[in-house]
Amino acid sequence: MVTTAIPQPQTTPIQSALIVGNYCHDVLLQGGAVVAETLGGAASFISNVFSALSVSFHLTSKVGFDFKYPVNHDPIVIPTSKTTVFHAYFDQGHTENAHQDRVLKRVEVCDPINPSDLPDKRFDFGMAVGVGGEILPETLEKMVEICDVVFVDIQALIRAFDKNEGTVKLVGLKESGFYHLLPRVKFLKASSEEALFMDVEEVRQWCCVVVTHGKDGCEVFWKDGEMKIEPFGANQVDPTGAGDSFLGGFVGGLVHGLVVPDAALVGNLFGSLTVGQIGLPKFDLRLLQRVKDEVQRRKLHNTCWFEGGKDSMSFTKPDGHDEFHASLASTKLVPTCSIQECQRDVPRSAGSVEQVMRPPCNGQ
Ligand SMILES: Nc1ncnc2c1ncn2[C@@H]1O[C@H](COP(=O)(O)OP(=O)(O)OP(=O)(O)O)[C@@H](O)[C@H]1O
Ligand SMILES: O[C@H]1[C@H](O)[C@@H](O)[C@H](O)[C@@H](O)[C@H]1O
């Protein structure tokens, strides 16, 4: 049966959200040359998607005195530190590790985010989305205390950095120092490469695990079940931030009243939109409006999505799920827009290589 919910007015969702993770500078390299320099960090990609979906949020992020991008949500500036910088080598991934699409090196690191840096208030949900080891176990502990529901990107927990070159390595989740906190986390997101560093069978007993599989979409695991969520087509030019935008779309979908399988489709959609562009994606405004309309039509419940204990976490694809996928896919068929009609939360820096490389908006 196809659900025929009446479209609701598009109001800003009422949940209060906390995003925790440092902005960074990303440098993309190929063949020994810099091909792009962009604003990075999961916090920037998620903010970008949240703004696109009209989800309001508070952001706790630290940068150094050299932070070079204008942003809508001001970070804490540490005058004695530099901004975290990642170099992404796109031609080394496959040779050094079959699971990687790129080799990442953290070449500068900003200060960690301490529990005292978090706001002194409660939030309906929080997102622990560090990239450079900035989230400490005590910071995540404070997050689970002040947020009713916590989403975690495993990259915030299991990254270790080579002392000399800063090469990103992954450590087992059990050895990460965060393992004891998992029973207090509601959703843990991992890429398929990162999922190899945890025992999904064990972790799914405590929280919902979402594993992303690049062009193949994602899989949702919970205590007693699992399901695959279909992907969307894309012409991939840069995979950076796909997982971050996925998480932004997934949580944004939940905030707008979607059930988990439908929200995961919104995650897949934003992941696919992100790989079609270099760096932080710019979304076509007409496409965004159509996505928001489809999400409002699809909204199946009016209760708070975070209500209920972990035992109530069990998901089935609701009737009309495939039609929702098709309607989201059709939003990509909007006519090409002019550059002025694209949205992005965070303006680009003047003169970055990214501007030279950027494909047109209909790369979406
Ligand atoms: N080539 C692609 N075509 C379509 N969708 C894609 C593609 N790559 C990624 N996606 C979407 O984005 C989601 C996240 O991608 P992926 O699994 O590569 O995350 P990730 O490895 O964490 O990304 P990153 O570390 O680059 O941010 C996927 O689940 C999928 O929905
Ligand atoms: O901007 C990117 C992005 O946030 C990626 O998800 C992360 O893996 C990288 O470290 C970061 O530089």
Side-chain angles (χ1 to χ4, degrees):
M1 187 195 79
V2 179
T3 309
T4 51
I6 299 163
Q8 307 289 314
Q10 294 184 0
T11 51
T12 306
I14 50 164
Q15 283 97 358
S16 58
L18 173 66
I19 299 176
V20 181
N22 286 350
Y23 290 132
C24 64
H25 293 166
D26 280 348
V27 181
L28 315 188
L29 298 113
Q30 195 155 33
V34 171
V35 290
E37 290 187 46
T38 72
L39 172 64
S44 65
F45 284 91
I46 294 171
S47 306
N48 190 37
V49 174
F50 271 17
S51 298
L53 292 174
S54 310
V55 176
S56 54
F57 58 93
H58 179 97
L59 184 128
T60 301
S61 184
K62 283 184 179 172
V63 298
F65 60 85
D66 59 343
F67 185 57
K68 61 182 182 184
Y69 295 96
V71 288
N72 285 348
H73 286 74
D74 287 340
I76 302 166
V77 180
I78 309 295
T80 51
S81 175
K82 282 189 156 184
T83 301
T84 298
V85 179
F86 280 97
H87 285 182
Y89 294 85
F90 282 90
D91 27 21
Q92 293 180 13
H94 297 296
T95 50
E96 293 190 9
N97 182 334
H99 300 290
Q100 282 186 1
D101 51 16
R102 61 198 186 273
V103 167
L104 272 184
K105 296 187 183 186
R106 186 190 69 178
V107 298
E108 293 288 351
V109 56
C110 194
D111 289 6
I113 299 174
N114 299 303
S116 57
D117 295 316
L118 302 181
D120 203 9
K121 58 176 279 214
R122 288 204 62 80
F123 293 88
D124 293 319
F125 70 93
M127 299 175 76
V129 291
V131 286
E134 67 271 31
I135 296 188
L136 310 171
E138 54 268 36
T139 311
L140 183 58
E141 183 154 18
K142 172 92 184 276
M143 286 185 74
V144 296
E145 276 162 19
I146 65 171
C147 302
D148 290 341
V149 167
V150 173
F151 297 81
V152 175
D153 188 331
I154 199 171
Q155 78 180 355
L157 314 185
I158 63 167
R159 282 187 168 179
F161 307 90
D162 172 84
K163 276 205 176 64
N164 301 319
E165 292 195 313
T167 308
V168 176
K169 306 273 182 218
L170 302 179
V171 300
L173 185 57
K174 263 195 177 147
E175 289 75 58
S176 67
F178 292 91
Y179 205 63
H180 64 290
L181 293 169
L182 289 181
R184 298 164 75 189
V185 164
K186 196 138 185 175
F187 291 90
L188 180 68
K189 179 245 149 201
S191 66
S192 43
E193 180 204 343
E194 292 161 339
L196 300 173
F197 291 80
M198 70 166 148
D199 182 346
V200 175
E201 290 310 314
E202 197 166 87
V203 177
R204 72 195 288 184
Q205 306 301 317
W206 300 314
C207 58
C208 176
V209 177
V210 183
V211 180
T212 61
H213 295 291
K215 64 175 175 35
D216 297 320
C218 69
E219 249 175 314
V220 181
F221 299 87
W222 63 99
K223 198 172 176 184
D224 311 309
E226 58 202 63
M227 67 173 62
K228 285 199 164 108
I229 304 293
E230 290 301 302
F232 295 85
N235 294 322
Q236 179 168 313
V237 295
D238 174 15
T240 311
D244 308 330
S245 292
F246 166 88
L247 190 56
F250 174 60
V251 177
L254 293 175
V255 167
H256 277 288
L258 299 185
V259 293
V260 163
D262 289 347
L265 278 180
V266 180
N268 280 347
L269 177 74
F270 278 95
S272 74
L273 293 173
T274 298
V275 299
Q277 301 185 37
I278 292 175
L280 203 67
K282 210 164 188 224
F283 303 121
D284 180 291
L285 284 183
R286 275 171 285 180
L287 177 149
L288 274 187
Q289 191 53 51
R290 290 189 58 187
V291 170
K292 289 199 264 190
D293 290 345
E294 293 300 340
V295 166
Q296 288 302 322
R297 257 196 285 280
R298 184 64 183 151
K299 186 172 162 173
L300 292 181
H301 61 95
N302 289 309
T303 54
C304 290
W305 54 271
F306 48 81
E307 272 176 6
K310 283 187 200 303
D311 293 343
S312 69
M313 285 237 268
S314 171
F315 313 112
T316 45
K317 286 182 188 170
D319 288 341
H321 177 82
D322 293 341
E323 289 81 356
F324 184 50
H325 179 276
S327 63
L328 288 178
S330 74
T331 63
K332 289 196 174 196
L333 305 174
V334 291
T336 310
C337 68
S338 68
I339 203 80
Q340 289 79 9
E341 289 177 288
C342 287
Q343 174 273 352
R344 182 159 60 182
D345 181 40
V346 187
R348 278 168 283 162
S349 73
S352 73
V353 190
E354 177 199 354
Q355 280 165 306
V356 181
M357 298 285 296
R358 179 165 295 282
C361 295
N362 62 353
Q364 297 171 339

